[in-house]
Amino acid sequence: MPENKSRPPQGQPWENGWAPDTSRAPGTRRLWLAGGMAMATIIACVTAIAISERDSDGDSAAGSTPAADSTVPGLISFATPSGTAPPSGKSGLSTVKPTPEAPHEQNASKPEPAPSKSPSGEAGSPTKAPKPPATTTWRSVRSVNYPDRYWHLSDGRVGLDQVRGSESREDSTFKQVKGLADSSCYSFATRDGQYLRHRNFVLRAEGNDGSALFTQDATFCPRASAYSSGATMLESVNYPGYFLRHKNFVVRLERYDHSSLYLADSSFRLVDGLA
């Protein structure tokens, strides 16, 4: 039977011929156990936080769903401009969209306050056309946002000028007749028998050549403007959606624009002839 040698006291290892086991540090098993418990605690905490946040997000999304027309914070909303809806009724803006564009010029028109709302709740849109006069009438056309300026024929073109003297009054007075291309609309004639027609999108006076193009170019349909009570917008017959407006004090034909400036520049008052 082998001799059972007792383990020398650890207090004096080298003196008794015994060396300590250095392959394992004291307390290693306890350190592994403590580390495992710490990792388990961290994983449990992270899992609990994730579940709590998910439940919170679900409750928030269910209780605060934005309405269909609301705007989410942080996003830019592109709403339809208020008060600048296209003309309704007979206006061509709801159907035909011609492609030609007017030449670009810098607009020197004076901006005006935003148009007041119409009884329907929408402002700035031509609505129902007034009835044309039953007989020939001499008219002058006055600007709404420049009330001291009228349509004035000079060098064959129509501008927006102040009245100066009797000759200026005569050149600012036109004969309003039934439209050459549409009797429910208007045409404007000068004292020497010419008619105002748009050519190259500029209003000018020319003799009637009897062509279908001329009669259409010289016919404009009135649309009541909500920009100012009693004001009228004049829409081209052969360019539906294009209205006469002043720009750089030149009367021209331009496509309907969703802006209060356009509404002001295209609104006129048909008053009694100055001459």
Side-chain angles (χ1 to χ4, degrees):
M1 187 173 189
E3 183 180 357
N4 184 13
K5 295 181 180 181
S6 62
R7 186 176 182 181
Q10 297 183 12
Q12 300 175 344
W14 290 278
E15 296 176 0
N16 297 281
W18 175 86
D21 184 7
T22 59
S23 63
R24 187 176 66 179
T28 303
R29 182 176 299 175
R30 290 193 296 272
L31 290 176
W32 277 102
L33 180 60
M37 293 180 64
M39 288 299 296
T41 303
I42 293 173
I43 293 174
C45 292
V46 171
T47 303
I49 293 173
I51 294 175
S52 176
E53 290 181 350
R54 183 182 61 187
D55 293 341
S56 176
D57 292 342
D59 294 340
S60 177
S64 59
T65 302
D69 57 350
S70 63
T71 302
V72 179
L75 297 181
I76 300 176
S77 175
F78 296 91
T80 303
S82 175
T84 56
S88 58
K90 295 183 180 181
S91 174
L93 284 182
S94 59
T95 54
V96 183
K97 295 183 179 179
T99 54
E101 293 289 342
H104 177 73
E105 292 183 8
Q106 184 179 2
N107 192 352
S109 304
K110 178 174 68 177
E112 287 290 314
S116 58
K117 289 188 176 180
S118 61
S120 63
E122 294 183 358
S125 58
T127 53
K128 187 177 179 181
K131 294 182 179 180
T135 59
T136 300
T137 306
W138 292 97
R139 294 289 191 191
S140 291
V141 185
R142 186 176 67 192
S143 169
V144 167
N145 55 346
Y146 286 87
D148 61 336
R149 291 177 178 263
Y150 297 79
W151 285 12
H152 178 247
L153 183 60
S154 177
D155 296 328
R157 294 189 178 188
V158 179
L160 196 68
D161 298 323
Q162 295 177 332
V163 176
R164 296 183 177 88
S166 59
E167 184 177 354
S168 177
R169 290 178 176 272
E170 291 180 358
D171 292 335
S172 298
T173 303
F174 307 95
K175 183 165 57 177
Q176 179 181 316
V177 298
K178 292 183 178 181
L180 299 180
D182 187 341
S183 60
S184 65
C185 300
Y186 298 156
S187 289
F188 299 92
T190 62
R191 292 182 178 274
D192 59 1
Q194 294 184 317
Y195 285 87
L196 302 185
R197 55 95 53 103
H198 66 82
R199 184 157 61 86
N200 295 331
F201 298 100
V202 175
L203 191 64
R204 62 190 75 213
E206 293 184 0
N208 186 358
D209 59 8
S211 67
L213 177 61
F214 184 95
T215 58
Q216 292 177 353
D217 286 352
T219 303
F220 305 94
C221 296
R223 310 292 181 212
S225 172
Y227 182 83
S228 180
S229 178
T232 300
M233 297 177 68
L234 296 169
E235 183 180 18
S236 170
V237 164
N238 54 347
Y239 281 86
Y242 282 65
F243 293 80
L244 291 176
R245 70 170 294 185
H246 65 82
K247 193 172 186 179
N248 296 329
F249 299 115
V250 174
V251 180
R252 56 188 304 109
L253 192 68
E254 284 196 1
R255 190 171 186 172
Y256 185 83
D257 181 6
H258 292 279
S259 68
S260 58
L261 178 60
Y262 180 94
L263 292 172
D265 290 350
S266 58
S267 297
F268 301 97
R269 297 188 185 279
L270 306 181
V271 299
D272 293 337
L274 298 176

